[in-house]
Amino acid sequence: MCTSVKHKDDDMCKDVLATSKKVSLDCLKWLLVQVHMIFDFLVDIFFGFYYDSKAQKVPLVNNDLLLLSASELAHKIRTKKVSSLEVVTAFIERAKEVNGLINAVVEDRYSEALEEAKEVDKFLEKQQNVDEIKKDKPFLGVPFTTKESNEAKGMLHTMALTSRRDYRSPEDATVVHLVKKAGGILIAKTNIPELNLWTESRNNVYGQTCNPYNTTRNVGGSSGGEGAITAACGTAISIGSDIGGSTRMPAFFNGVYGHKPTEGLTPLKGVGLRKVDYSNSMAEAGPICKKAEDLAPFLKVLIGEEKVSLLKLDAPVDIKKLKIFYQESSGDLRASKVNSEMKTALLKAVYHFKEVTGSATKIKIPGSEYSYRLWRFWMSQENLDFKLSITNGKYRARAVSEVSKLLTGKSELTFGAIMKLIDEDFFPKDNPEWAKGVTSNMKKYLLDKLGDDGVLLYPSSPSPASYHYTAFLRPFNFGYWCLFNVLRLPTCQVPLGLDKSGLPLGLQVVAAPYNDHLCLAVAQELEKAFGGWVQPA
């Protein structure tokens, strides 16, 4: 009897201790969130004092051609309702008009592009079969841009490194070649961060790119120039690339669409420093565009004929039959809290789909709070030697020496690159077994939920585009994008209007592998419901 009572007392004590521990942890978490919110508030106040009086926007578009989708432009060109020369000229003039404000274009080929447009118009004079032209060259005569890190024959490919300042590509990246083959006319290359590895597009070769909605704000990285020039109507469509949100982040900050395809679909030769295609990578090339209708046809071009059949991009999607899941935050205490306007935008989309489908289920991906740590581990498995690449192969960079150079004004690297060196040299690496186990469990959980008829609505970021340089103080917000590179799932960035400050809002749409068509269908549905891209001015 006494023993039985003692066991009950011990169990009760354990329960009390467990409850007390949980309450203490919850209180600590709450306190950390409050401190982080105060910190973010003070950061915005401080930077706002400096930047707010300097804010500018790009001017209004005065040519309606610039507002059309690339698909509409292609149709008008091949049916001879407008000439390619007229279209290309309009976009070149707009790019020139806005670039002094946003510094997105870093090298142009305007003269060559105009000559190519004339050749397209001559070709069309002799062609009558519009359907055949659409099939073989779906973007005939349409201008496009690509980020500086995607190779284009004869153009600079510095990777934003001063040590590669004069390097020019001997040939096109495969994805650039595919778009040219589809009839696209390359008009320019755009800005990136150093070696594509930072969340702002600023470097010591080309300088800083500014947001067309507010020039004091970040455009994201690494396809920051693409996001900015697309939103500002300086190009009809763009080629991005994405190893940690590099297509979706700039698409979000600049209020346009960006899609990261299912893993292994787009050729990577000529993307970054890759000399061959890699079958096992978190990276994918992808479209950036103003209109959702361009996503599928442009994605077909970027994937190429060999693999496009793996997707069902032409399959009709019954939105009413989709299973809708949503998550309101990553759960990472080191990241900023998702602000009220971002949360409201997400929930508006959720409520819309509740009305359309009848239900929407809130979930929490187990391990999403480790997004950044997991991406950091999986980046170490990529075929990239950062320390050697950052010096263009001259020597292996070390944090101590580069910090010393920075303090004496002799470093050729940006602070973002030096931060990565510090991370690699001084911070402990995560246990591979832990990282692989958490990643596997996350993916299994999500795929079991999504199946072949489900999508996840996920925040794009804790907040819209923030002031220049504040990314150094909020590095873990990056986890909202890189999570889906870790999971290697198709993910589409969808714009959802502007916040009270006139900055783009949005969300990410995620599906199971090879169900990219579900992401794109949801993007089009949200465009119908909420309007999609909004002109910056």
Side-chain angles (χ1 to χ4, degrees):
M1 177 72 74
C2 290
T3 302
S4 177
V5 171
K6 186 175 184 301
H7 284 166
K8 287 181 179 180
D9 288 344
D10 288 345
D11 290 342
M12 188 178 295
C13 286
K14 288 179 182 177
D15 289 342
V16 170
L17 287 171
T19 301
S20 177
K21 184 178 180 181
K22 184 179 184 304
V23 170
S24 297
L25 285 172
D26 288 343
C27 288
L28 180 60
K29 288 180 181 178
W30 180 87
L31 182 61
L32 287 172
V33 169
Q34 303 313 306
V35 170
H36 201 155
M37 288 175 64
I38 293 170
F39 174 77
D40 281 337
F41 174 76
L42 293 175
V43 166
D44 287 335
I45 290 291
F46 177 79
F47 279 81
F49 278 136
Y50 176 77
Y51 275 121
D52 283 349
S53 62
K54 306 174 187 294
Q56 292 180 276
K57 295 180 182 180
V58 296
L60 278 166
V61 167
N62 56 19
N63 186 331
D64 288 344
L65 285 175
L66 302 174
L67 303 176
L68 300 179
S69 69
S71 299
E72 289 176 297
L73 290 169
H75 175 74
K76 286 181 176 292
I77 290 169
R78 63 177 168 260
T79 55
K80 304 173 188 175
K81 293 178 180 176
V82 66
S83 70
S84 174
L85 181 61
E86 185 179 351
V87 171
V88 172
T89 299
F91 278 96
I92 287 174
E93 291 305 313
R94 177 63 175 179
K96 289 179 179 179
E97 179 184 30
V98 300
N99 206 52
L101 277 175
I102 63 175
N103 189 38
V105 171
V106 296
E107 185 182 18
D108 68 70
R109 56 185 308 276
Y110 296 152
S111 296
E112 297 91 331
L114 291 171
E115 292 304 313
E116 289 169 15
K118 292 176 185 177
E119 291 302 313
V120 167
D121 292 332
K122 288 179 183 177
F123 168 79
L124 287 172
E125 288 176 5
K126 305 171 186 177
Q127 300 297 317
Q128 302 298 323
N129 194 329
V130 173
D131 291 336
E132 187 175 325
I133 294 171
K134 181 178 180 180
K135 179 183 176 183
D136 295 339
K137 294 183 178 296
F139 290 99
L140 182 63
V142 175
F144 76 98
T145 53
T146 192
K147 60 199 292 189
E148 206 263 16
S149 55
N150 293 339
E151 295 208 60
K153 186 175 181 179
M155 299 191 76
L156 288 169
H157 185 235
T158 70
M159 294 296 298
L161 301 175
T162 57
S163 54
R164 288 174 60 93
R165 188 184 295 273
D166 299 320
Y167 181 84
R168 291 187 178 274
S169 299
E171 60 183 2
D172 290 330
T174 305
V175 286
V176 173
H177 167 73
L178 289 171
V179 179
K180 288 182 177 180
K181 184 181 176 183
I185 296 176
L186 179 63
I187 61 172
K189 296 186 81 174
T190 61
N191 206 16
I192 58 171
E194 206 168 27
L195 210 61
N196 277 347
L197 291 173
W198 187 236
T199 58
E200 294 187 74
S201 292
R202 180 192 311 108
N203 57 71
N204 294 329
V205 179
Y206 303 119
Q208 174 178 271
T209 298
C210 299
N211 196 300
Y213 292 85
N214 183 326
T215 54
T216 70
R217 304 297 178 120
N218 182 12
V219 295
S222 60
S223 309
E226 290 303 302
I229 200 65
T230 303
C233 300
T235 185
I237 204 159
S238 303
I239 308 174
S241 65
D242 192 321
I243 200 171
S246 291
T247 293
R248 291 163 289 131
M249 183 197 310
F252 166 64
F253 284 153
N254 295 281
V256 292
Y257 294 87
H259 184 70
K260 182 193 79 66
T262 295
E263 68 166 314
L265 288 180
T266 54
L268 294 177
K269 181 183 178 184
V271 173
L273 295 174
R274 300 172 182 88
K275 298 301 181 185
V276 296
D277 284 323
Y278 297 113
S279 58
N280 182 25
S281 176
M282 292 190 291
E284 290 293 324
I288 295 176
C289 51
K290 298 190 298 290
K291 303 288 186 177
E293 71 170 327
D294 284 335
L295 290 166
F298 203 62
L299 186 56
K300 287 180 185 178
V301 171
L302 295 176
I303 292 172
E305 295 176 1
E306 289 185 11
K307 293 185 178 180
V308 74
S309 60
L310 295 173
L311 298 184
K312 297 163 277 189
L313 294 176
D314 292 323
V317 177
D318 188 345
I319 295 291
K320 295 179 181 178
K321 294 182 179 178
L322 284 180
K323 293 185 298 185
I324 305 297
F325 301 91
Y326 69 100
Q327 183 167 325
E328 294 183 7
S329 74
S330 68
D332 186 351
L333 295 178
R334 299 174 301 175
S336 302
K337 184 179 179 181
V338 176
N339 78 10
S340 59
E341 290 190 88
M342 286 295 294
K343 186 175 181 180
T344 298
L346 175 71
L347 293 179
K348 279 183 178 179
V350 170
Y351 295 147
H352 172 76
F353 280 107
K354 271 187 178 179
E355 292 182 0
V356 173
T357 67
S359 67
T361 305
K362 184 177 179 179
I363 64 170
K364 164 63 172 68
I365 304 170
S368 60
E369 64 271 26
Y370 305 123
S371 299
Y372 176 79
R373 287 177 61 187
L374 293 169
W375 180 82
R376 181 173 176 263
F377 166 76
W378 286 108
M379 274 298 288
S380 70
Q381 309 302 301
E382 290 282 332
N383 195 337
L384 172 68
D385 186 337
F386 174 74
K387 291 184 176 183
L388 193 61
S389 297
I390 198 65
T391 67
N392 196 32
K394 292 180 179 179
Y395 60 90
R396 292 185 64 79
R398 294 188 304 114
V400 172
S401 61
E402 291 302 330
V403 169
S404 176
K405 290 178 184 177
L406 181 69
L407 294 175
T408 56
K410 297 178 180 177
S411 178
E412 294 185 356
L413 307 183
T414 61
F415 187 58
I418 293 173
M419 280 183 65
K420 182 161 176 59
L421 286 173
I422 292 171
D423 176 58
E424 291 207 0
D425 284 356
F426 295 112
F427 286 82
K429 305 295 186 285
D430 282 304
N431 182 294
E433 290 185 10
W434 171 84
K436 291 176 182 178
V438 174
T439 302
S440 177
N441 290 337
M442 290 171 70
K443 194 164 186 176
K444 183 180 185 306
Y445 170 85
L446 196 50
L447 295 189
D448 286 345
K449 294 283 187 185
L450 296 176
D452 286 327
D453 58 354
V455 295
L456 168 68
L457 307 183
Y458 196 86
S460 297
S461 170
S463 64
S466 57
Y467 295 107
H468 295 303
Y469 295 99
T470 56
F472 290 121
L473 303 173
R474 297 161 174 162
F476 298 107
N477 290 357
F478 170 68
Y480 278 85
W481 295 288
C482 67
L483 171 62
F484 301 108
N485 295 90
V486 169
L487 297 176
R488 306 193 180 202
L489 300 179
T491 309
C492 188
Q493 168 59 42
V494 180
L496 291 174
L498 308 179
D499 72 357
K500 61 185 178 184
S501 300
L503 296 169
L505 298 165
L507 56 75
Q508 298 181 85
V509 183
V510 187
Y514 305 106
N515 283 310
D516 299 57
H517 64 299
L518 300 184
C519 297
L520 307 189
V522 168
Q524 289 190 296
E525 175 66 20
L526 288 171
E527 184 178 47
K528 291 177 189 174
F530 300 104
W533 168 78
V534 179
Q535 187 180 161

